[in-house]
């Protein structure tokens, strides 16, 4: 009787292999007989790795060659100049962000031509942004993103959940950046991640809240810790379900700049309480005129300190990894008036353009603009409601005007804003 051959042939190198364990023949399909021996698998793996190193080197060289040119374009004062075109006030925040971004580029440059025996590394300075609702946090960051040539991804923190819970894991933030970088790992590893609505993952047991335990939100913060500092983050491609065999993409977050932001509603009360407790007579309290006058939001917010964030419900380890605190102010009537007309995408300009397309000159009387600003202040949503207030009075006009092609002038008055009066329409032909 013929003895059974104890070896199996590798389909690639044609060698016959004695199989003691699955590692001798890592790939084997008994039905078709297709097999790959350990040696071939190792060779293929090495070839792939070597190729990856080449690809990365090319990507590094390309990024590096653009870097000098880019750095002359994004000097802090130039970034601020650009932001000034869109965002009114918030000068301090614009300055802080401009410097943070410029330093991010410097770190990147230093990392690329890092020489031995010099300084080990320049540590990154992640930023935390706070300020009232509708004051321009998200808008500021989205304009910044448009200006920069490095990948920039915004992720809503309130959608993040602790691993194992329904929702998105924190890795999603890195995955978003990976796609913003057109799947280029080198570019991704030097990008900027903005975590919006960061206050929504505050621990509910913070002083500002009444619920005593909140493992979910604290868990999200814990999972963010390593990522903020720098770690290898693994995620699956978009649309791919997460299961143990799914191929993963690895990104190191060491050089990614993190900016987190949120309204942190009520933090001014925490700051006021702290200042009151530490007031020695020459401190904050002494500056307030009148005995019962409450300190204003804008006076308080710029005094935010790490311990206030901790009281709000951000864990100390996270705060330690966000060394730059950037605060935005509440917008007063004057600022709102400017927002209505000045920025390149100001609401009044937008409606003027829309009307122009129907051969109509649209005018807002000064009173009308004041009325809009005052209404927005009443709604307490910062600049957010400006557009909606105008939209309300513009609806009928936008419906009726296209009925004719005549050249006309439409004037919106304070009466239109406050009492729904009909705008004045004049024929100009
Ligand atoms: N300082 C500003 N200058 C110009 N426009 C502004 C400013 N602040 C807000 N806006 C406008 O108001 C709208 C809402 O602002 P934004 O989304 O930035 O608010 P936010 O600070 O992120 O608020 P929230 O905390 O509620 O998310 C934006 O469309 C923006 O155009
Ligand atoms: Mg926002």
């Amino acid at each position: 009787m013929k003895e059974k051959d104890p070896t199996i042939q590798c389909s690639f190198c044609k060698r016959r292999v004695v199989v003691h364990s699955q590692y001798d023949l890592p790939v084997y399909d008994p039905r078709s007989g297709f097999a790959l021996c350990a040696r071939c698998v190792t060779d293929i793996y090495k070839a792939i790795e070597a190729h990856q190193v080449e690809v990365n080197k090319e990507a590094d060289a390309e990024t590096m060659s653009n870097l000098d040119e880019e750095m002359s374009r994004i000097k802090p004062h130039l970034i601020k100049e650009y932001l000034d075109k869109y965002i009114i006030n918030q000068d301090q925040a614009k300055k802080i962000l401009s410097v943070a971004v410029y330093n991010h580029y410097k770190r990147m440059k230093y990392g690329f031509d890092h020489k031995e025996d010099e300084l080990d590394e320049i540590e990154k300075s992640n930023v935390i942004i706070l300020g009232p609702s509708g004051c321009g946090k998200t808008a500021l960051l989205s304009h910044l993103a448009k200006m920069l040539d490095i990948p920039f991804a915004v992720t809503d923190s309130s959608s993040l959940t602790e691993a194992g819970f329904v929702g998105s894991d924190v890795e999603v933030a890195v995955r978003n950046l990976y796609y913003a970088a057109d799947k280029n790992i080198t570019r991704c590893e030097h990008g900027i991640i903005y975590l919006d609505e960061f206050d929504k993952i505050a621990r509910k047991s913070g002083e500002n809240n009444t619920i005593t335990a909140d493992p979910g939100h604290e868990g999200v913060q814990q999972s963010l810790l390593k990522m903020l500092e720098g770690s290898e983050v693994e995620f699956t491609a978009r649309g791919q379900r997460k299961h143990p065999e799914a191929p993963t993409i690895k990104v190191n977050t060491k050089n990614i700049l993190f900016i987190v932001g949120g309204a942190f509603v009520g933090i001014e009360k925490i700051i006021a309480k702290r200042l009151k407790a530490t007031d020695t007579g020459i401190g904050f309290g002494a500056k307030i005129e009148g005995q019962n006058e409450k300190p204003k939001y804008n006076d308080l917010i710029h005094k935010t300190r790490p311990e206030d964030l901790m009281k709000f419900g951000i864990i100390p380890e996270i705060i330690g990894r966000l060394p730059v605190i950037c605060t935005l102010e509440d917008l007063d009537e004057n600022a709102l008036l400017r927002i209505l007309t000045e920025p390149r995408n100001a609401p009044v300009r937008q409606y003027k353009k829309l009307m122009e397309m129907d051969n109509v000159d649209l005018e807002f009387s000064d009173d009308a603009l004041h009325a809009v600003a005052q209404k927005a202040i009443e709604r307490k949503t910062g600049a957010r409601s400006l557009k909606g207030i105008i939209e309300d009075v513009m609806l009928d006009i936008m419906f009726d005007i296209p009925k004719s092609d005549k050249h006309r002038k439409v004037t919106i008055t304070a009466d239109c804003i406050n009492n729904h009066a009909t705008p004045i329409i004049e024929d100009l032909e």
Side-chain angles (χ1 to χ4, degrees):
M1 203 171 79
K2 208 177 150 198
E3 237 180 66
K4 202 174 164 232
D5 186 357
T7 63
I8 295 172
Q9 189 179 34
C10 170
S11 312
F12 200 60
C13 69
K14 307 294 182 210
R15 227 166 29 99
R16 296 203 73 86
V17 182
V18 186
V19 183
H20 296 297
S21 84
Q22 76 174 94
Y23 296 103
D24 297 322
L25 203 71
V27 178
Y28 180 51
D29 176 20
R31 264 190 292 174
S32 65
F34 180 81
L36 286 178
C37 70
R39 214 159 71 184
C40 286
V41 169
T42 313
D43 287 349
I44 293 168
Y45 180 72
K46 278 187 190 150
I48 292 173
E49 270 205 323
H51 171 72
Q52 200 53 49
V53 169
E54 274 313 304
V55 169
N56 286 349
K57 261 194 213 154
E58 277 167 29
D60 282 1
E62 198 193 319
T63 312
M64 187 57 206
S65 70
N66 295 336
L67 207 55
D68 284 330
E69 195 187 315
E70 183 68 359
M71 278 179 81
S72 61
R73 195 177 68 87
I74 54 101
K75 294 225 176 341
H77 69 286
L78 299 176
I79 298 183
K80 183 166 177 300
E81 245 168 53
Y82 173 84
L83 294 174
D84 283 341
K85 289 187 199 151
Y86 297 94
I87 305 291
I88 300 294
N89 289 9
Q90 318 299 14
D91 281 358
Q92 183 70 0
K94 287 179 199 161
K95 264 191 189 165
I96 292 178
L97 287 174
S98 310
V99 170
V101 167
Y102 188 60
N103 281 350
H104 178 64
Y105 273 82
K106 281 191 187 163
R107 282 189 77 237
M108 205 184 329
K109 187 172 160 59
Y110 185 76
F112 278 124
D113 40 46
H114 182 69
K115 307 198 179 51
E116 297 283 325
D117 74 47
E118 271 189 71
L119 188 67
D120 268 357
E121 63 170 323
I122 302 175
E123 279 169 21
K124 66 175 165 185
S125 301
N126 297 321
V127 184
I128 178 162
I129 303 181
L130 39 159
S133 180
C135 70
K137 297 180 294 294
T138 306
L140 200 53
L141 269 295
S142 70
H143 287 299
L144 197 58
K146 278 186 212 138
M147 177 194 192
L148 299 178
D149 193 37
I150 46 172
F152 195 116
V154 182
T155 301
D156 187 341
S157 319
S158 57
S159 68
L160 301 177
T161 50
E162 198 176 351
F165 284 75
V166 178
S168 323
D169 295 348
V170 295
E171 289 80 22
V172 164
V174 183
R175 176 158 76 176
N176 290 343
L177 187 65
Y178 172 72
Y179 284 97
D182 290 332
K183 304 192 211 166
N184 178 323
I185 302 271
T186 308
R187 274 172 60 74
C188 174
E189 289 187 335
H190 293 90
I192 300 179
I193 289 180
Y194 179 50
L195 296 173
D196 206 358
E197 310 287 339
F198 195 74
D199 47 342
K200 305 292 184 305
I201 57 162
R203 200 161 44 179
K204 292 266 173 13
S205 48
E207 188 158 295
N208 203 36
N209 298 290
T210 45
I211 305 166
T212 45
D214 182 34
H217 284 168
E218 188 164 343
V220 178
Q221 292 191 46
Q222 294 285 2
S223 342
L224 280 172
L225 267 184
K226 278 188 138 180
M227 202 167 92
L228 285 181
E229 196 166 62
S231 63
E232 193 111 300
V233 171
E234 247 181 282
F235 50 89
T236 50
R238 261 186 198 159
Q240 180 122 42
R241 278 198 42 204
K242 214 175 172 184
H243 61 89
E245 290 94 46
T248 55
I249 300 150
K250 282 198 192 93
V251 166
N252 193 320
T253 62
K254 190 165 164 272
N255 291 315
I256 294 176
L257 179 69
F258 285 87
I259 302 176
V260 311
F264 291 84
V265 176
I267 194 152
E268 73 277 12
K269 295 195 192 93
I270 297 176
I271 303 167
K273 209 167 155 189
R274 169 174 58 79
L275 290 169
K276 216 170 165 191
T278 56
D279 186 20
T280 52
I282 47 162
F284 187 76
K287 285 190 213 137
I288 305 165
E289 294 151 29
Q291 212 56 24
N292 297 323
E293 203 175 325
K294 269 199 186 161
K296 295 207 177 69
Y297 183 92
N298 288 355
D299 292 327
L300 291 167
I301 194 71
H302 291 311
K303 297 193 161 63
T304 308
R305 288 226 301 248
E307 57 260 43
D308 303 322
L309 293 166
M310 213 162 1
K311 284 225 171 94
F312 191 89
I314 306 293
I315 59 174
E317 299 93 316
I318 289 267
I319 297 167
R321 285 161 177 84
L322 300 166
V324 182
I325 298 180
C326 172
T327 45
L328 275 78
E329 296 183 346
D330 209 2
L331 300 162
D332 59 12
E333 188 180 331
N334 205 14
L336 292 176
L337 276 176
R338 290 182 59 201
I339 291 171
L340 276 172
T341 54
E342 280 181 34
R344 287 177 79 124
N345 58 346
V348 166
R349 285 185 174 201
Q350 292 186 31
Y351 284 103
K352 278 193 178 194
K353 197 75 207 157
L354 280 175
M355 287 290 99
E356 206 180 288
M357 290 160 95
D358 283 321
N359 204 14
V360 165
D361 300 346
L362 178 67
E363 291 295 334
F364 283 80
S365 73
D366 282 349
D367 288 359
L369 294 177
H370 277 282
V372 173
Q374 276 157 11
K375 243 189 176 173
I377 288 176
E378 277 165 32
R379 291 190 188 177
K380 292 194 167 56
T381 49
R384 191 186 298 286
S385 46
L386 291 176
K387 200 159 180 215
I389 295 168
I390 299 185
E391 181 80 29
D392 272 354
V393 299
M394 288 299 295
L395 178 68
D396 287 339
I397 287 287
M398 290 192 290
F399 184 81
D400 290 327
I401 280 295
K403 289 177 188 164
S404 148
D405 290 331
K406 270 204 212 147
H407 188 195
R408 284 148 297 169
K409 180 180 173 187
V410 171
T411 309
I412 312 284
T413 62
D415 214 19
C416 306
I417 307 289
N418 293 327
N419 310 313
H420 295 285
T422 315
I424 304 164
I425 305 175
E426 298 158 85
D427 282 346
L428 293 178
E429 276 168 7

